[in-house]
Amino acid sequence: MSTSINPRVASMQPSATLAMAGRAKKLKREGADVIALSAGEPDFNTPEPIAQAGIQAIQEGFTRYTQNPGMPELREAISTKFTRENNLDYSPDQILCSNGAKQSVAMAVAVLAQEGDEVLIPAPYWVSYPEMARFSGATPVIVSTTAESHYRLTPQALDDAITDRTRVLILCSPSNPTGSVYSQQELAALVEVLLQYEKIVIVSDEIYEHVIYDASHIPIATQKGMLERTITINGFSKCFAMTGWRLGYMAGPINIIKQASKLQGQLTSAPNSIAQKAGIAALNMDQAPIRAMVQAFRERRDFLLDGLNSIAGVHVPKPEGAFYLFAQISDFYGKVAPSGRKINSSGDLCFYLLEEHLVALVPGAAFGDPNGIRLSYASSMDELQTAFNRIKKGLSELVS
């Protein structure tokens, strides 16, 4: 039987991060000692106060549907969080809780962008952003950044990319995949450009807000004139080690939030009730476990950063947040492995390191930079040390 498929779905690219993680898991099931540095998932357990809140919710029978936008108590806690931590004034009815920040980003783009619109996406970008834009009917416009600028969008590049059809700018700070963080001065310079184009709405992905080292997190919505034209996206997966709980949220102008809530009501309804109870506990608990997790990430970052930059042909700008390194590795293109495998791309290099040296990384082409690779350091120090030794050995064996 021939089945007609929606062309927007048929043309959608599968997630490269999930694909590489799946390939690594398959090799592991076959008995290979693979170390996966491909997935963006903290290796820490969910902190105990959060886990206990989930357990208590189950024991008390809190297992039914909640209000579609999320429990009032959770939205109130998020509103308080915005005031306390971000100097942002979002009322509970300006907040929509969803099944992860990914759903929140997708719904924001779907509400804002339509056929004929353009969505600006700085590269390297998170792999799902362009696909979300395409699925809404809009055209993703990729704006390249450089390692020299630490992968941050410049005002000139932003201004050059804007056209009469530009509707949305997606920013991610701290960034997946680069770990870059925009400073107050850098955001102010971007805002100076954006204020000249009143129709552009910013979708600000801030899911790595608390995983930050050598910088401060500044929400772009705090900048002059930006609160009323920014959708702030956040969630619990990364900072609270709650990836599997599936809980995120968006906040913004109430007319946009109402439209997104309507969309959610028809697609998924409210997020998991148990996760919502756990989310309230996360926002209200002592943050010491989060600080300890971030300190461990900092130590891992420093180890890998120093090690990789000591390898000839590898250049890694210092990330200020998240738990990724984005390494420039094009010096190895054109080289050949002892097995005869030729390296012509970031994909070739990643599959060589996976299949011959048992380390899973993600090709930079998936993030809009064909000369890079992404490494996640959300793994134990022992695993990172072993992985680094394998990477170093694998790269040393490549010859011209």
Side-chain angles (χ1 to χ4, degrees), residues 4 33 45 55-56 59 62 77 112-113 116 139 162 231 246 260 268 290 292 319 333:
S4 177
D33 179 27
N45 290 329
I55 292 169
Q56 184 176 347
Q59 291 175 335
F62 194 76
L112 294 168
T139 300
I162 292 173
I231 305 299
R246 307 312 306 135
T268 66
I290 310 308
Y333 295 174

Side-chain angles (χ1 to χ4, degrees), residues 233-254:
I233 309 290
N234 212 320
F236 297 83
S237 294
K238 312 298 184 178
C239 299
F240 295 102
M242 293 176 65
T243 51
W245 294 77
R246 307 312 306 135
L247 184 62
Y249 54 91
M250 67 167 74
I254 194 164

Side-chain angles (χ1 to χ4, degrees), residues 8-15 109 121 125-138 140 366:
R8 291 186 185 173
V9 176
S11 65
M12 188 175 288
Q13 298 299 308
S15 167
V109 173
I121 305 172
Y125 48 72
W126 182 47
V127 296
S128 295
Y129 294 151
E131 302 304 326
M132 292 172 175
R134 291 188 186 99
F135 192 70
S136 75

Side-chain angles (χ1 to χ4, degrees), residues 236-279:
F236 297 83
S237 294
K238 312 298 184 178
C239 299
F240 295 102
M242 293 176 65
T243 51
W245 294 77
R246 307 312 306 135
L247 184 62
Y249 54 91
M250 67 167 74
I254 194 164
N255 62 316
I256 298 174
I257 297 302
K258 282 184 175 179
Q259 294 301 314
S261 182
K262 180 173 63 177
L263 179 61
Q264 176 165 290
Q266 297 293 0
L267 292 180
T268 66
S269 297
N272 182 305
S273 60
I274 299 157
Q276 291 187 62
K277 282 284 191 178

Side-chain angles (χ1 to χ4, degrees), residues 85-395:
E85 298 180 3
N86 306 121
N87 195 30
L88 286 171
D89 183 18
Y90 288 121
S91 62
D93 61 356
Q94 290 181 278
I95 296 166
L96 173 63
C97 301
S98 303
N99 298 280
K102 177 183 280 191
Q103 180 180 346
S104 296
V105 175
M107 292 196 304
V109 173
V111 167
L112 294 168
Q114 57 184 301
E115 196 82 38
D117 288 340
E118 293 177 346
V119 177
L120 298 187
I121 305 172
Y125 48 72
W126 182 47
V127 296
S128 295
Y129 294 151
E131 302 304 326
M132 292 172 175
R134 291 188 186 99
F135 192 70
S136 75
T139 300
V141 175
I142 307 306
V143 188
S144 296
T145 66
T146 65
E148 289 68 32
S149 70
H150 284 246
Y151 304 115
R152 290 191 279 265
L153 179 65
T154 65
Q156 187 62 58
L158 172 62
D159 199 27
D160 290 346
I162 292 173
T163 72
D164 290 342
R165 296 193 296 160
T166 304
R167 175 66 170 134
V168 175
L169 167 65
I170 301 180
L171 281 183
C172 182
S173 179
S175 165
N176 175 6
T178 68
S180 62
V181 178
Y182 287 92
S183 69
Q184 166 70 34
Q185 293 75 19
E186 289 164 336
L187 286 177
L190 294 178
V191 166
E192 190 173 340
V193 174
L194 290 166
L195 289 175
Q196 301 174 45
Y197 305 95
E198 61 182 20
K199 291 184 178 180
I200 299 174
V201 179
I202 297 85
V203 175
S204 182
D205 186 347
E206 303 177 14
I207 188 66
Y208 294 93
E209 172 187 11
H210 291 300
V211 185
I212 200 163
Y213 318 109
D214 308 305
S216 298
H217 173 64
I218 311 293
I220 193 170
T222 61
Q223 305 300 295
K224 182 179 178 180
M226 288 296 108
L227 182 64
E228 59 268 27
R229 51 189 292 192
T230 299
I231 305 299
T232 301
I233 309 290
N234 212 320
F236 297 83
S237 294
K238 312 298 184 178
C239 299
F240 295 102
M242 293 176 65
T243 51
W245 294 77
R246 307 312 306 135
L247 184 62
Y249 54 91
M250 67 167 74
I254 194 164
N255 62 316
I256 298 174
I257 297 302
K258 282 184 175 179
Q259 294 301 314
S261 182
K262 180 173 63 177
L263 179 61
Q264 176 165 290
Q266 297 293 0
L267 292 180
T268 66
S269 297
N272 182 305
S273 60
I274 299 157
Q276 291 187 62
K277 282 284 191 178
I280 295 171
L283 294 174
N284 292 326
M285 76 176 194
D286 187 302
Q287 300 297 295
I290 310 308
R291 291 191 292 271
M293 182 172 66
V294 172
Q295 179 58 32
F297 284 142
R298 177 193 290 268
E299 292 168 1
R300 298 170 184 182
R301 177 204 65 172
D302 292 346
F303 165 73
L304 269 187
L305 184 67
D306 291 344
L308 289 169
N309 276 329
S310 72
I311 300 174
V314 178
H315 172 55
V316 190
K318 186 177 185 179
E320 298 170 313
F323 35 73
Y324 309 105
L325 297 173
F326 199 81
Q328 293 295 311
I329 41 74
S330 59
D331 284 1
F332 296 94
Y333 295 174
K335 295 192 174 184
V336 181
S339 62
R341 183 194 300 248
K342 191 168 184 180
I343 307 301
N344 290 319
S345 67
S346 60
D348 290 344
L349 186 61
C350 284
F351 281 110
Y352 161 66
L353 291 172
L354 174 61
E355 293 168 356
E356 299 191 27
H357 293 276
L358 302 180
V359 180
L361 312 173
V362 187
F367 303 101
D369 185 340
N371 295 322
I373 55 173
R374 192 194 76 172
L375 302 85
S376 168
Y377 47 90
S379 299
S380 71
M381 187 63 83
D382 285 345
E383 284 191 317
L384 293 177
Q385 289 170 341
T386 301
F388 170 72
N389 290 335
R390 293 178 183 179
I391 293 170
K392 186 176 182 180
K393 182 175 186 295
L395 295 178

